[in-house]
Amino acid sequence: MPYAEAGQDALSFAPRLPEQISRLVFAVQFRQRCVRVDISHQQATYTLLAGTELEVHHHGSPLKVTRDVPCSGPIPAVPDLPEPQQPPGRGPAHRRWTGRNE
Protein backbone atom coordinates (compact mmCIF):
# COMPACT_ATOMS: atom_id res chain seq x y z
CA MET A 1 0.00 0.00 0.00
CA PRO A 2 1.13 3.53 -0.41
CA TYR A 3 3.26 5.09 2.26
CA ALA A 4 3.41 8.86 2.65
CA GLU A 5 5.09 11.13 5.13
CA ALA A 6 4.82 14.88 5.51
CA GLY A 7 8.20 16.43 6.18
CA GLN A 8 8.88 20.07 6.87
CA ASP A 9 8.51 21.32 3.30
CA ALA A 10 7.83 18.23 1.22
CA LEU A 11 5.69 15.13 0.94
CA SER A 12 7.45 11.76 0.74
CA PHE A 13 5.91 8.72 -0.94
CA ALA A 14 7.14 5.15 -1.30
CA PRO A 15 4.09 3.48 -2.86
CA ARG A 16 3.67 -0.20 -3.69
CA LEU A 17 0.41 -1.93 -4.50
CA PRO A 18 -0.53 -5.51 -3.68
CA GLU A 19 -1.11 -7.75 -6.71
CA GLN A 20 -4.89 -7.66 -6.23
CA ILE A 21 -5.06 -3.88 -6.78
CA SER A 22 -4.07 -2.58 -10.21
CA ARG A 23 -4.47 1.15 -9.56
CA LEU A 24 -5.04 3.56 -6.69
CA VAL A 25 -5.86 7.27 -7.08
CA PHE A 26 -6.29 9.78 -4.25
CA ALA A 27 -5.75 13.45 -3.46
CA VAL A 28 -3.69 14.92 -0.64
CA GLN A 29 -4.07 18.40 0.88
CA PHE A 30 -0.72 19.79 2.07
CA ARG A 31 0.06 23.39 3.02
CA GLN A 32 -2.71 24.94 0.89
CA ARG A 33 -1.89 22.70 -2.07
CA CYS A 34 -3.79 19.76 -3.48
CA VAL A 35 -1.84 16.93 -5.10
CA ARG A 36 -3.44 14.06 -7.01
CA VAL A 37 -1.51 10.77 -6.66
CA ASP A 38 -2.11 8.05 -9.27
CA ILE A 39 -0.35 4.77 -8.45
CA SER A 40 0.01 1.68 -10.64
CA HIS A 41 2.40 -1.27 -10.39
CA GLN A 42 4.86 0.43 -12.76
CA GLN A 43 4.81 4.09 -11.67
CA ALA A 44 3.28 6.82 -9.55
CA THR A 45 2.17 10.12 -11.12
CA TYR A 46 1.82 13.33 -9.12
CA THR A 47 -0.39 16.17 -10.39
CA LEU A 48 -0.77 19.54 -8.67
CA LEU A 49 -4.47 20.43 -8.69
CA ALA A 50 -4.31 23.62 -6.60
CA GLY A 51 -1.64 25.85 -5.11
CA THR A 52 1.96 26.67 -5.92
CA GLU A 53 4.65 24.24 -7.07
CA LEU A 54 5.71 21.59 -4.60
CA GLU A 55 8.60 19.20 -4.10
CA VAL A 56 7.56 15.57 -3.65
CA HIS A 57 9.99 12.81 -2.71
CA HIS A 58 9.27 9.55 -4.55
CA HIS A 59 11.18 6.56 -3.12
CA GLY A 60 13.81 9.04 -1.93
CA SER A 61 14.17 10.98 -5.20
CA PRO A 62 12.93 14.59 -5.33
CA LEU A 63 10.36 15.54 -7.99
CA LYS A 64 9.10 19.06 -8.67
CA VAL A 65 5.31 19.09 -9.18
CA THR A 66 3.85 22.08 -11.01
CA ARG A 67 0.38 22.92 -12.32
CA ASP A 68 1.55 22.60 -15.94
CA VAL A 69 3.14 19.16 -16.06
CA PRO A 70 2.42 16.05 -13.96
CA CYS A 71 5.57 14.18 -12.95
CA SER A 72 6.07 10.45 -12.54
CA GLY A 73 8.50 8.12 -10.86
CA PRO A 74 8.99 4.37 -11.35
CA ILE A 75 8.02 1.88 -8.66
CA PRO A 76 11.25 0.00 -7.90
CA ALA A 77 11.28 -3.77 -7.53
CA VAL A 78 10.89 -5.11 -4.01
CA PRO A 79 14.34 -5.85 -2.63
CA ASP A 80 15.08 -9.53 -2.05
CA LEU A 81 15.70 -9.64 1.69
CA PRO A 82 16.39 -12.67 3.88
CA GLU A 83 13.55 -13.97 6.01
CA PRO A 84 13.68 -12.40 9.49
CA GLN A 85 14.74 -14.66 12.36
CA GLN A 86 13.63 -14.63 15.99
CA PRO A 87 16.29 -13.41 18.42
CA PRO A 88 17.82 -16.21 20.52
CA GLY A 89 15.47 -17.26 23.31
CA ARG A 90 12.52 -15.29 21.86
CA GLY A 91 10.92 -17.91 19.63
CA PRO A 92 7.30 -18.97 20.15
CA ALA A 93 6.72 -21.40 23.00
CA HIS A 94 5.94 -24.95 21.91
CA ARG A 95 2.66 -26.03 23.45
CA ARG A 96 1.16 -29.42 23.59
CA TRP A 97 -2.38 -29.73 22.29
CA THR A 98 -4.75 -31.39 24.77
CA GLY A 99 -7.76 -31.64 22.46
CA ARG A 100 -9.99 -29.36 24.49
CA ASN A 101 -10.65 -25.63 24.55
CA GLU A 102 -9.29 -23.83 27.54
Side-chain angles (χ1 to χ4, degrees):
M1 295 306 269
Y3 166 77
E5 181 179 287
Q8 295 208 336
D9 293 318
L11 289 172
S12 295
F13 294 89
R16 290 191 201 287
L17 295 178
E19 290 180 21
Q20 301 86 346
I21 299 174
S22 61
R23 185 175 177 216
L24 179 65
V25 181
F26 58 92
V28 176
Q29 295 277 338
F30 178 72
R31 296 190 178 214
Q32 299 181 350
R33 299 170 179 114
C34 184
V35 179
R36 179 178 183 251
V37 182
D38 187 341
I39 304 167
S40 70
H41 289 282
Q42 293 77 31
Q43 70 179 9
T45 301
Y46 306 96
T47 307
L48 185 63
L49 302 176
T52 58
E53 72 179 35
L54 172 70
E55 184 174 285
V56 171
H57 291 253
H58 173 79
H59 285 278
S61 299
L63 300 173
K64 185 184 281 189
V65 183
T66 65
R67 299 266 321 231
D68 301 328
V69 181
C71 57
S72 298
I75 306 293
V78 177
D80 193 20
L81 300 173
E83 186 174 322
Q85 301 294 316
Q86 291 283 353
R90 294 294 192 171
H94 296 284
R95 300 175 194 246
R96 195 176 83 169
W97 186 67
T98 60
R100 58 182 177 196
N101 291 334
E102 296 182 15

